[in-house]
Amino acid sequence: MEHGFVRAADGTITSFDPTGSTGTYASSIGNDGRTTGYYIDGSGAAHGFVRAGDGKIMSFDPPGSTGTYGQAIDSSPADKNAIAGFYDDSEGLADGFVRTR
């Protein structure tokens, strides 16, 4: 099973998995320690996640998603840590999204 992880400036590595994950894939980390990516659940579906710097993890899926993939997090104050990525819809097409904090 794959796990997500973050590495602190002092070299400490902390692994993490959203609840129900059978594989976690971290894609991007912001200046404030927020991390985004996706995880696979027991049925094989992908869900996006955002992990706060304190370790709290929240899953998300756009309406109509059959698979969600968080790809990048913006750390600029103007965008308030917006997350960009894509999701698969019921027709099997990939659609982009931007999720604001």
Side-chain angles (χ1 to χ4, degrees):
M1 179 171 133
E2 295 81 12
H3 305 280
F5 72 90
V6 291
R7 181 182 180 274
D10 68 0
T12 303
I13 294 177
T14 302
S15 64
F16 64 88
D17 294 291
T19 301
S21 173
T22 62
T24 302
Y25 307 90
S27 301
S28 183
I29 188 167
N31 293 337
D32 65 354
R34 293 169 60 89
T35 308
T36 192
Y38 67 96
Y39 70 95
I40 308 299
D41 69 16
S43 69
H47 305 276
F49 73 83
V50 60
R51 179 185 183 273
D54 66 2
K56 183 178 178 184
I57 300 172
M58 186 171 94
S59 299
F60 63 87
D61 292 292
S65 171
T66 61
T68 303
Y69 307 88
Q71 297 292 299
I73 192 164
D74 187 345
S75 295
S76 68
D79 290 323
K80 297 186 171 90
N81 294 304
I83 295 171
F86 68 95
Y87 67 96
D88 298 322
D89 65 22
S90 61
E91 296 178 13
L93 300 174
D95 300 292
F97 71 84
V98 175
R99 179 183 181 274
T100 59
R101 191 176 198 179

